[in-house]
Amino acid sequence: MAYMAAVAPATWWPSPPAMPPAAAGLLSATASPSARNPEPQTLPFLLPPPPAGYPLLPPRGPILLQVHPGFIAEVDDRRSSALVQFLKDEGAVPSPEDEKKREHVIRELKKIVVHWAKMVAYEQNVPQRLATATVLTYGSYTLGVHGPESDIDALCVGPCIATLQYHFFVVLRQILEGRPEVSEVQSVEGAKVPLMRFRFAGIAVDFTYSQLPAINTFSTQSLQKIDERSWSSLSGVRVNEKIAQLVPNAEKFQVLLRCIKLWARKRGLHCHHLGFFAGIHLAILAAYVCRRWPNASVNGLFTMFFQTFAHWSWQVPVTLHDEPTACLHPEGRLMPIMMPCTPPEFCMSNVTKGTFKKIREELTRGYALTRDPFRHDFEWTWLFEPFPYAQKYQQFLRIYLCAPTAAELRDWAGWVKSRSRFLILKLERAGINCDPCPSEEVDHTVKEPNMVFYWGLIPETVIHVDTSHLKEDFMKNIINDVYGKVKCTHSDVTISVVGLPQLPKSMCSHSVHLHRMLG
């Protein structure tokens, strides 16, 4: 694949190009006049030679070609149209019926928490007018980038008299479990941002909690009075609002973020507790690209995402702040990403040396596949090819979780997964690198409710894994508080090393494009 560069800057947007038909439903409906007819600018994917040290990148020597701007625009339009159509074909865009279901869920949740706040007020002999509550959404749903399978991130904002440990995790949970639409309720109390997970009318909900002195005010004075956990829970809502204000074109941002999220899921990178990206990380990276190239097409923005972050010097935080901040870089943080809020904060990150290496490799792969704007046989399916775990690794760490009932398994699995980073770090300290696959499997050969995870073991480093000692060491992190000790009484974790024959069929799909993609 030859590296191409224009002799002189070429405009990549003729005056004005037609919107690709496939993109019309997602982009053109609310685009502003300035977004529909932007000023010409330099083609964003005709790039300087890449730095040395990236094995997937082509040779540094450029081939200089004079390319007509009209041809560039035609190729760009074609790729943008194909990319948006690919999102639709993959089911990444929800239907109108799905949107209505989500709106219904949020309305019902608001009614439930208002009723709950009144119960708390009655219990504590407080006037009910002083005990109000509401539900605020954030995450992919509020940013407009959710898919049919996406969960709803929701924050329960309650009165200061309603405690997290009792009123939220006990009283409110009992109310939710009493509703016929609610199922699979699971508490994750020990996380940095404690939450309940459940399904409401079939839609997954992540429900966090924040106590505020007054529900309808987010003034600086009011926020200064809340506790640290409530502050952390509020971060998602505050950051969402700021991102919405900062991106120059909401429609293009939404399509770009949908593309990035789908790519991350396909390549095994969208799983925060395993040391990869959380949704907030991807949203900030997408917003950064949109702000830097406000007039770029969807294809141009996606290309620039890989160009920018495949070559990013990660000693420098990614930030949406226009001015430098005094927020200190935390020591040891491998992918520092700053939330666009005041005061500035770093996004919570579980990235380890091993997961950081895979993220860099996947960003470099994405850059290698998208950097040639004139490849005539290019297909988006190459970029979104599911990660070939069975081709990449010969040995896997098998993590088997079991519990007496399905409900107990959900609670147990949520708790163990929140501690997964400790296991990854223990392996790395022992000189064993791994690639944790986020997929949740089930062993159907046993009757007890179970959940199984398979982590690829890097062949260069694996000689022998003492699984009994590894489990013993990991269990110390699992039962380091009362919650873990109680759950461990009836539930268990089994760790073993297996080969390819023991993998489930779902992980053994073969990549038909691997040779062509990088050839």
Side-chain angles (χ1 to χ4, degrees), residues 42 54 98 102 110 113 127 142 151 164 201 221 228 255-256 294 308 315 325 334 375 392 421 431 443 478 483 507 514:
T42 302
Y54 290 87
D98 183 71
R102 290 170 186 272
K110 288 182 177 180
V113 300
T142 306
D151 56 14
L164 173 72
Q221 288 183 337
E228 184 177 349
V255 177
L256 174 62
T308 300
Q315 292 79 20
T325 68
L334 295 170
R375 184 165 181 170
K392 186 81 170 177
R421 184 173 186 268
D443 186 346
I478 294 176
Y483 184 83
M507 293 185 65
L514 189 62

Side-chain angles (χ1 to χ4, degrees), residues 350-368:
N350 286 330
V351 175
T352 70
K353 290 182 179 179
T355 58
F356 177 67
K357 183 176 182 289
K358 180 178 179 178
I359 291 171
R360 292 295 300 270
E361 289 174 349
E362 289 299 319
L363 287 168
T364 303
R365 172 185 176 273
Y367 170 66

Side-chain angles (χ1 to χ4, degrees), residues 297-325:
S297 67
V298 171
N299 172 56
L301 289 171
F302 202 24
T303 300
M304 286 311 300
F305 167 77
F306 290 110
Q307 153 65 11
T308 300
F309 297 114
H311 300 139
W312 189 270
S313 176
W314 286 102
Q315 292 79 20
V316 179
V318 179
T319 177
L320 302 181
H321 292 281
D322 294 322
E323 299 294 332
T325 68

Side-chain angles (χ1 to χ4, degrees), residues 49-64:
Y54 290 87
L56 290 180
L57 302 184
R60 292 175 61 88
I63 299 175
L64 300 180

